[in-house]
Amino acid sequence: MKVTEHIANGNGKTQFSFEILPPLKGQNIQSIFDSIDPLMEFNPPFIDVTYHREEYVYKEMENGLLQKQVVRKRPGTVGICAAIQNKYNVDAIPHILCGGFTKEDTENFLIDLDFLGIDNVMALRGDAVKTETYFTPDKEGHSYANGLVKQIDALNKGEYLDEEIQNQAKTDFCIGVAGYPEKHIEAPNMDSDIHFLKKKLKNGAAYIVTQMFFDNKKYFDFVEKCRSQGITTPIIPGLKPISTKKQLNMIPHRFNTELPEELIKEVLKCDDNGQIREVGIEWCVQQSKELIEAKVPFLHYYSMGKSDNIRAIAKQLF
Ligand code: FAD
């Protein structure tokens, strides 16, 4: 079922959903099931599965020269989605990127998803690979998510890259895109970011999931700004509980997200990560309660492979 249908079925009640990462190469799928199992009692209508593009690593050879190698540390997005739908009978939403994909790769990826009975995709540009400063698309790929959305929407109309393909079967994907309550790091200002967000929606996206935020005011202001600029699609808030001291530095830098002074102060008072985890859970519960009161359609939690704190939060809310 499509995310937009799940929202309609919620009849105004906030529902629970979450995002997982494929395991590191070498682990088996049981680690994924172990992180999903404790969250199933909260009835998530869908689970997102992130996509991780290739990275470049340099390995020293016997002669001392360095050899560039391409590695993908977390493959398996499509397989995990199929396994989730099969095992739990809930919708799995694969993330799909511009980065590392030609348009032909994208088309074939979408055909796989369609054959597997996957109804939703989250369309993203992806970040620059670690060894590059700026995002560089594949020569035959999309530079921005709005191009990717357009391609998915075209396939929904039966328009393939090769116009001469016979039996142009239509796919029927519900397309989600990213939104940034504190603006995307590369955007010169919020108006510019919303301008391009609107382009993704005009090209066929049906809902928005936000980057994580720790101050609900940022989300409410963002929604208001979007609405004032004519955006009517659902805007699903993305939340993540803090669980380590290291995240105080990592989260603002990596996700362009400001941490409220009060949260920082509470985390700094803690003696160990066990205490920080409790602070993170409490903060996230308070954020969630206010968002539920504001009647958001879903609360979407970034589990990042750890479900114990998400479970502790969901237990108090759903
Ligand atoms: P875009 O919408 O393409 O925007 C990127 C930047 O370009 C923005 O600053 C925008 O304002 C600007 N822009 C857009 N169009 C144009 C244009 N035509 N001309 C000039 N500027 C333009 N990353 C992963 O690698 N894997 C994942 O699974 C993943 N999941 C995510 C899930 C969510 C909910 C979110 C919020 C992010 C996720 N990301 C993921 C991170 C995402 O890939 C990065 O934030 C990336 O830098 C931007 O992706 P986007 O789709 O928002 O890009």
Side-chain angles (χ1 to χ4, degrees):
M1 200 189 278
K2 295 176 175 183
V3 167
T4 44
E5 291 168 329
H6 286 303
I7 292 174
N9 289 346
N11 289 320
K13 198 165 166 251
T14 303
Q15 301 175 76
F16 169 74
S17 66
F18 62 97
E19 174 186 294
I20 58 163
L21 273 64
L24 285 168
K25 195 183 267 189
Q27 290 180 15
N28 64 31
I29 194 144
Q30 191 55 44
S31 63
I32 287 293
F33 296 151
D34 290 345
S35 67
I36 294 176
D37 286 343
L39 300 176
M40 290 312 292
E41 70 174 90
F42 309 111
N43 299 318
F46 65 83
I47 300 171
D48 273 58
V49 184
T50 56
Y51 191 93
H52 300 258
R53 64 175 299 187
E54 75 287 356
E55 291 173 28
Y56 300 117
V57 292
Y58 290 88
K59 291 221 165 137
E60 193 169 346
M61 297 188 296
E62 277 179 11
N63 61 8
L65 292 176
L66 292 176
Q67 188 182 42
K68 186 176 172 184
Q69 288 187 0
V70 181
V71 289
R72 274 190 64 207
K73 292 185 178 165
R74 292 183 186 272
T77 300
V78 176
I80 291 168
C81 285
I84 288 174
Q85 296 210 154
N86 187 35
K87 184 171 160 68
Y88 300 101
N89 201 21
V90 299
D91 284 301
I93 308 186
H95 292 193
I96 174 170
L97 304 181
C98 303
F101 279 73
T102 64
K103 289 177 189 160
E104 179 74 18
D105 293 335
T106 300
E107 187 168 278
N108 295 335
F109 189 91
L110 293 169
I111 289 170
D112 276 346
L113 301 183
D114 186 47
F115 287 172
L116 286 167
I118 288 170
D119 296 330
N120 304 279
V121 283
M122 182 75 189
L124 302 142
R125 189 196 68 179
D127 288 317
V129 287
K130 280 192 185 127
T131 41
E132 288 175 353
T133 315
Y134 299 105
F135 173 80
T136 317
D138 188 282
K139 272 208 305 284
E140 306 293 329
H142 297 287
S143 302
Y144 296 102
N146 52 54
L148 175 58
V149 171
K150 201 170 185 178
Q151 183 178 0
I152 303 168
D153 188 61
L155 209 63
N156 280 349
K157 295 176 181 138
E159 294 164 14
Y160 288 71
L161 294 172
D162 177 356
E163 287 168 10
E164 285 172 22
I165 279 182
Q166 294 187 347
N167 306 322
Q168 301 189 335
K170 294 177 184 174
T171 56
D172 190 18
F173 293 112
C174 175
I175 310 167
V177 290
Y180 300 84
E182 293 168 74
K183 90 167 185 66
H184 183 257
I185 194 159
E186 294 162 32
N189 62 22
M190 187 57 107
D191 282 342
S192 158
D193 213 20
I194 291 183
H195 168 82
F196 290 118
L197 175 60
K198 280 175 84 169
K199 216 166 173 179
K200 293 193 274 195
L201 302 169
K202 188 168 163 261
N203 285 354
Y207 70 100
I208 298 164
V209 181
T210 74
Q211 183 57 280
M212 65 183 73
F213 56 91
F214 296 85
D215 176 356
N216 285 352
K217 187 171 182 315
K218 310 266 183 191
Y219 170 82
F220 293 131
D221 288 350
F222 175 66
V223 172
E224 201 182 304
K225 194 142 206 196
C226 288
R227 301 293 180 235
S228 74
Q229 299 201 23
I231 293 176
T232 55
T233 39
I235 303 178
I236 297 175
L239 295 178
K240 177 182 160 44
I242 290 256
S243 56
T244 65
K245 200 169 262 182
K246 215 170 123 191
Q247 288 170 345
L248 288 187
N249 304 100
M250 186 277 279
I251 286 176
H253 169 72
R254 183 138 160 227
F255 300 107
N256 195 40
T257 301
E258 216 176 290
L259 297 174
E261 284 298 324
E262 202 188 325
L263 174 61
I264 298 173
K265 226 189 292 169
E266 288 304 312
V267 171
L268 290 177
K269 273 192 221 156
C270 297
D271 295 325
D272 55 43
N273 282 345
Q275 290 177 7
I276 294 172
R277 183 178 164 279
E278 293 310 314
V279 168
I281 289 170
E282 182 51 29
W283 190 273
C284 198
V285 166
Q286 293 314 320
Q287 271 194 283
S288 303
K289 282 184 175 165
E290 194 183 17
L291 290 162
I292 289 172
E293 242 170 65
K295 298 196 178 338
V296 298
F298 270 88
L299 283 173
H300 188 67
Y301 295 93
Y302 295 110
S303 82
M304 294 184 161
K306 291 196 181 74
S307 51
D308 57 338
N309 50 0
I310 306 296
R311 183 179 159 77
I313 293 160
K315 244 183 145 29
Q316 298 187 49
L317 304 164
F318 295 99

